[in-house]
Amino acid sequence: MNLLIKGGRVIDPSQGIDGTFDILVENGLVKEVGSMLPAPAGTETVDAAGLIVTPGLVDMHVHLRDPGLEYKEDIVSGTKAAAAGGFTTVACMPNTKPVNDNKAVTSYIIAKAQNEGVVNVVPVGAITQGSKGEALAEMGDLKEAGCVAVSDDGHPVTNSELMRRALEYAKGMGIMVISHAEDLSLVGDGVMNEGFTATELGLKGIPWAAEDAAVARDVYLAECTASPLHVAHISTAGSVRIIRNAKARGVKVSCETAPHYFSLTDDAVRGYNTNAKMNPPLRGAAAVAAIKEGLRDGTIDAIATDHAPHHLDEKDVEFNIALNGIVGLETSLPLSLKLVEEGVLTLPALVEKMSCNPARILGLDRGTLKVGAVADLTVIDPNAAWTVTAEGLASKSKNSPWLGEPMKGGAAYTIVGGKIVYQR
Amino acid sequence: MGFKHKDIIGLQGLTREEIELLLDTAENMKEIMGRDIKKVPTLRGKTVVNLFYEASTRTRTSFEIAAKRLSADTINISASTSSVTKGETLSDTARNVLAMKPDIIVMRHAASGAHHYLAQRVSCSVINAGDGAHEHPSQGLLDMLTMRQKFGRLEGLKVAIVGDITHSRVARSDIFGLTTMGAQVCLAGPPTMMPPGIERLGNVVVCSDMREAISGADVVMMLRIQLERQGKTLLPTLREYARYYGLNPEKLKLAKPEAIVMHPGPINRGVELSSYVADGDQSAILTQVENGVAVRMAMLYHVSGGELPTA
Ligand SMILES: [Zn+2]
């Protein structure tokens, strides 16, 4: 079936397009971008007047919990949540059960996503076997099976020598390392950001240096091995500064942050709110300002959600023992659109960070509306007004700090390979 | 005025009037304790559950005596925090305890915020007998009662609190209560035990040297060092701790001549306090213990909304 998306504001930074155009999709590919395009017979028309049409959004950091932890999420529910959030491609982290450190798990994820998933799923394999940080995983095999990067996300590779070898080895295999940067000895038994709020609540703090020190180590290892490195979910002013300096020296480093790190501070923990417990933890106002500055000046390449579904029973407990993480696929777009409203990013810059850059970093042929490209598109309604509710979330898990909060903006249509997979 | 809260989770957020009411009631309770028959029927027919996830014979006994003097039925439950890892959650335990139809749950728990969690889920009153490094309101109240008895007021007092502030729920309750009442609080301790932003909690000054904190103080509050918790990273040796942050007669001379010395107990003798100070004239440590029962009677009384017995 063919599709004509008429009269939207088309923003495609990959071609420097920002204007009112029609897009004709034929056989799952972008056929033409232009004005007053006629609709061939049998073409469905989408009226995009007043809406924004962009290359499909790419979330380079999600947890789909499948295989093994399907009570939290699975590939079907997770990709439905992605589609509802406007994402056409998601990269899923390997901390499944078993860990995605081998071809069999990778193949399972790819096959299930192709058969039952709603959006594209690209798996991230583990850096080390079992993500235990002891021996390198078979990165060659992982890449061949379809992994687009490797990461022990959830755990840092604590052994610096092993991290160095991982970067070298991955370079040889042509696969990129994504670092979860955290110095565990500095984290200790901390459960939230170290600072006034933690002091007042009597909760053990995690210093920002626990992230900064680990980011610095990994950046220097990337420099020393001349290997590309991507740093996941940065949350501190130090991380921004270290990566900014590294980029200026020519180190091949990229990084992402998540909407909660530019939308919330550790004040959200008050009341021992376990839906504000995540790793890295929510930081203070100065860190939020530094993250926004990093987004503005291009130090931060991508906005990823770190979508981390957890069952209610894992959050409805004392703060100390609650699991880390929040769901994020369905709130990312409105929270990120706020950056445009605040003047931190232009709309094209936002599209770069949510589509073009993550696609480029992962080496995917996505993030563009060039003629002939796969027709993955997101049609955004910047004014859609809605409220986050547990029932309204497509994700199996409801661990969002924004439950009950009003949101502005969201996906009007999510189109994958020319097919509408979500419509508001 | 009456006491309007279902629970007492902490001293933070209580008004000056509410704290005064609790302290005044505690004075009345002390009067009852001076009688031949130390028991009043105020809470007859009410059930108080002491739910202790952390061992604390002193605090538990004190709450139990307080409840019994008010004629309440008391049930003691010792739960192990480790049962959490065995699958029993706090909400499961709460449900089981609620089946006993208690009027008041007195809980001690290792997790900061555990009482906040419980109070939101049960209809009965919850009294915090210590949660992690957060609050220990009954200790804070008995400390304030002890100071008020000695000086007749709390406003304008200079109170030095010395030791491990980071891990101390006593310090937090003292700080919240005392600053609400208009006292000035000076803190001292190794920087490894001083949490960031603590000075923002109110009229609080952080001193780098213990001598500075206790100079001219009306009250010197020495905190217990948790020997098992400090490990090797927060301080080098107890010997050095005692030398720089312990209270001996010579350092005590820096405080006002009429100053009192307090300690939430149990004391590590020779570490926080030399025995001369612990057992000396200025020590108010035993008065603190005595005031503990009266304060806890006042807390039980006010959350239950009962009638104060007339003498
Ligand atoms: Zn991570």
Side-chain angles (χ1 to χ4, degrees):
Chain A
M1 191 187 60
N2 300 332
L3 204 59
L4 180 67
I5 300 147
K6 277 192 80 71
R9 176 176 169 191
V10 176
I11 300 178
D12 179 9
S14 78
Q15 313 177 71
I17 294 178
D18 181 357
T20 304
F21 294 104
D22 302 340
I23 297 178
L24 180 63
V25 171
E26 247 181 50
N27 302 320
L29 304 177
V30 177
K31 169 85 174 172
E32 200 177 348
V33 180
S35 296
M36 312 292 281
L37 296 182
T43 301
E44 191 187 343
T45 303
V46 167
D47 178 9
L51 306 178
I52 300 161
V53 183
T54 72
L57 304 183
V58 177
D59 189 344
M60 62 186 303
H61 190 142
V62 306
H63 298 271
L64 294 180
R65 308 297 191 205
D66 187 355
L69 300 160
E70 294 90 344
Y71 68 97
K72 298 175 195 253
E73 192 84 285
D74 60 35
I75 287 169
V76 178
S77 64
T79 54
K80 276 186 184 158
F87 293 96
T88 54
T89 299
V90 295
C92 60
M93 289 295 152
N95 60 338
T96 46
K97 220 171 166 181
V99 168
N100 182 14
D101 64 356
N102 63 78
K103 227 174 190 165
V105 176
T106 307
S107 305
Y108 159 83
I109 293 169
I110 289 173
K112 184 164 178 188
Q114 272 168 0
N115 295 331
E116 301 171 48
V118 184
V119 306
N120 308 306
V121 175
V122 290
V124 174
I127 298 173
T128 66
Q129 294 170 31
S131 284
K132 289 193 184 122
E134 288 159 7
L136 295 179
E138 293 176 337
M139 295 182 197
D141 247 24
L142 287 168
K143 166 142 192 195
E144 203 179 288
C147 285
V148 295
V150 288
S151 178
D152 277 357
D153 187 56
H155 316 273
V157 177
T158 49
N159 182 322
S160 303
E161 150 74 1
L162 188 62
M163 186 63 169
R164 176 225 163 129
R165 299 303 178 197
L167 286 161
E168 286 174 343
Y169 190 83
K171 185 167 75 162
M173 288 296 167
I175 194 164
M176 195 186 50
V177 173
I178 299 176
S179 155
H180 169 114
E182 191 182 14
D183 183 323
L184 291 180
S185 66
L186 283 170
V187 171
D189 48 6
V191 293
M192 70 172 290
N193 183 49
E194 185 172 288
F196 174 66
T197 307
T199 293
E200 189 175 333
L201 294 175
L203 291 172
K204 183 85 197 307
I206 300 170
W208 57 79
E211 179 174 319
D212 301 354
V215 169
R217 182 201 72 168
D218 288 349
V219 161
Y220 282 110
L221 289 176
E223 190 167 13
C224 150
T225 59
S227 303
L229 170 77
H230 178 78
V231 186
H233 47 56
I234 68 165
S235 70
T236 65
S239 295
V240 174
R241 196 168 53 236
I242 292 159
I243 293 167
R244 183 183 289 132
N245 292 344
K247 283 186 166 182
R249 299 197 291 281
V251 182
K252 285 180 270 175
V253 58
S254 57
C255 68
E256 75 199 25
T257 192
H260 34 281
Y261 300 120
F262 55 75
S263 308
L264 296 173
T265 66
D266 57 2
D267 258 348
V269 176
R270 287 182 187 285
Y272 301 92
N273 178 10
T274 55
N275 278 338
K277 186 180 180 189
M278 49 204 72
N279 182 23
L282 294 172
R283 311 282 183 183
V288 171
I291 292 293
K292 286 185 182 175
E293 180 53 27
L295 284 162
R296 201 195 57 72
D297 74 6
T299 302
I300 301 175
D301 304 272
I303 296 171
T305 62
D306 196 3
H307 177 77
H310 288 301
H311 192 266
L312 179 64
D313 288 346
E314 296 161 329
K315 283 290 193 182
D316 182 21
V317 290
E318 304 90 294
F319 194 86
N320 279 4
I321 57 172
L323 295 186
N324 283 314
I326 61 170
V327 290
L329 283 166
E330 292 164 81
T331 48
S332 178
L333 188 50
L335 294 168
S336 302
L337 281 166
K338 257 194 206 163
L339 294 171
V340 177
E341 210 161 276
E342 293 171 6
V344 176
L345 294 177
T346 62
L347 256 177
L350 181 69
V351 174
E352 283 190 307
K353 291 185 200 300
M354 294 188 76
S355 175
C356 316
N357 292 352
R360 173 179 50 76
I361 292 165
L362 296 176
L364 309 174
D365 57 349
R366 293 293 195 277
T368 180
L369 298 175
K370 281 187 183 140
V371 171
V374 176
D376 284 359
L377 294 96
T378 304
V379 182
I380 299 169
D381 179 354
N383 296 312
W386 58 288
T387 300
V388 185
T389 61
E391 312 75 57
L393 292 175
S395 176
K396 272 190 197 177
S397 295
K398 314 297 176 187
N399 48 312
S400 166
W402 287 286
L403 291 177
E405 296 281 321
M407 293 279 150
K408 189 181 161 205
Y413 299 88
T414 306
I415 297 162
V416 176
K419 271 198 293 223
I420 297 173
V421 297
Y422 171 82
Q423 181 175 351
R424 177 169 294 272
Chain B
M1 66 158 289
F3 191 79
K4 303 225 162 46
H5 305 277
K6 171 174 93 78
D7 315 293
I8 302 179
I9 307 298
L11 298 187
Q12 185 181 29
L14 291 190
T15 64
R16 199 165 172 145
E17 291 70 31
E18 287 166 337
I19 290 174
E20 241 150 36
L21 180 66
L22 285 163
L23 296 177
D24 291 344
T25 309
E27 295 281 8
N28 288 333
M29 296 299 180
K30 272 201 102 166
E31 183 272 321
I32 292 167
M33 287 159 62
R35 298 179 193 171
D36 278 351
I37 297 171
K38 302 177 183 57
K39 197 159 176 155
V40 290
T42 313
L43 294 190
R44 182 176 291 155
K46 305 258 183 188
T47 303
V48 178
V49 172
N50 284 322
L51 178 57
F52 275 59
Y53 280 85
E54 271 186 345
S56 168
T57 312
R58 293 159 59 108
T59 304
R60 189 186 54 69
T61 309
S62 182
F63 267 109
E64 192 177 350
I65 294 171
K68 290 202 153 116
R69 295 221 166 124
L70 294 169
S71 302
D73 298 317
T74 60
I75 298 162
N76 293 321
I77 300 174
S78 301
S80 149
T81 308
S82 66
S83 67
V84 169
T85 53
K86 288 175 194 146
E88 168 146 303
T89 65
L90 183 54
S91 77
D92 287 339
T93 310
R95 265 181 229 124
N96 286 321
V97 170
L98 278 181
M100 300 173 195
K101 303 254 180 285
D103 298 283
I104 302 170
I105 298 175
V106 175
M107 183 166 82
R108 159 73 58 99
H109 200 285
S112 299
H115 298 77
H116 197 277
Y117 177 92
L118 184 70
Q120 287 177 329
R121 282 160 184 79
V122 300
S123 52
C124 70
S125 294
V126 174
I127 291 179
N128 184 354
D131 66 322
H134 179 227
E135 281 231 42
H136 193 353
S138 63
Q139 181 73 39
L141 287 169
L142 73 86
D143 289 344
M144 284 194 282
L145 183 63
T146 308
M147 294 175 208
R148 201 177 75 164
Q149 282 164 352
K150 165 75 183 179
F151 298 102
R153 68 193 160 91
L154 292 168
E155 180 148 24
L157 290 185
K158 179 180 176 183
V159 181
I161 305 179
V162 181
D164 181 3
I165 311 291
T166 300
H167 299 99
S168 176
R169 51 194 170 212
V170 176
R172 279 177 188 66
S173 284
D174 281 344
I175 290 168
F176 291 133
L178 286 166
T179 57
T180 300
M181 300 309 288
Q184 204 216 331
V185 177
C186 296
L187 305 175
T192 49
M193 299 177 175
M194 195 60 71
I198 189 91
E199 62 288 342
R200 283 169 57 195
L201 283 181
N203 193 11
V204 175
V205 178
V206 177
C207 303
S208 53
D209 186 335
M210 172 189 180
R211 289 162 194 276
E212 189 189 333
I214 60 178
S215 289
D218 298 284
V219 179
V220 182
M221 167 82 60
M222 302 301 298
L223 298 176
R224 176 177 163 76
I225 287 290
Q226 305 277 322
L227 297 175
E228 63 283 4
R229 191 186 272 154
Q230 252 68 67
K232 292 267 182 253
T233 57
L234 299 186
L235 46 91
T237 59
L238 289 181
R239 179 191 156 276
E240 178 153 302
Y241 182 85
R243 192 161 160 228
Y244 286 89
Y245 300 102
L247 188 63
N248 56 25
E250 176 230 315
K251 280 189 208 156
L252 183 55
K253 282 190 194 122
L254 295 168
K256 286 195 183 144
E258 69 276 19
I260 54 171
V261 174
M262 300 173 68
H263 190 291
I267 304 168
N268 296 303
R269 282 178 183 266
V271 182
E272 302 105 31
L273 293 174
S274 74
S275 282
Y276 292 109
V277 175
D279 306 329
D281 297 341
Q282 288 171 273
S283 171
I285 296 170
L286 292 177
T287 316
Q288 285 176 276
V289 178
E290 201 185 314
N291 283 336
V293 174
V295 154
R296 287 166 182 131
M297 287 169 79
M299 293 168 87
L300 291 166
Y301 163 75
H302 277 297
V303 295
S304 73
E307 295 297 312
L308 191 62
T310 43

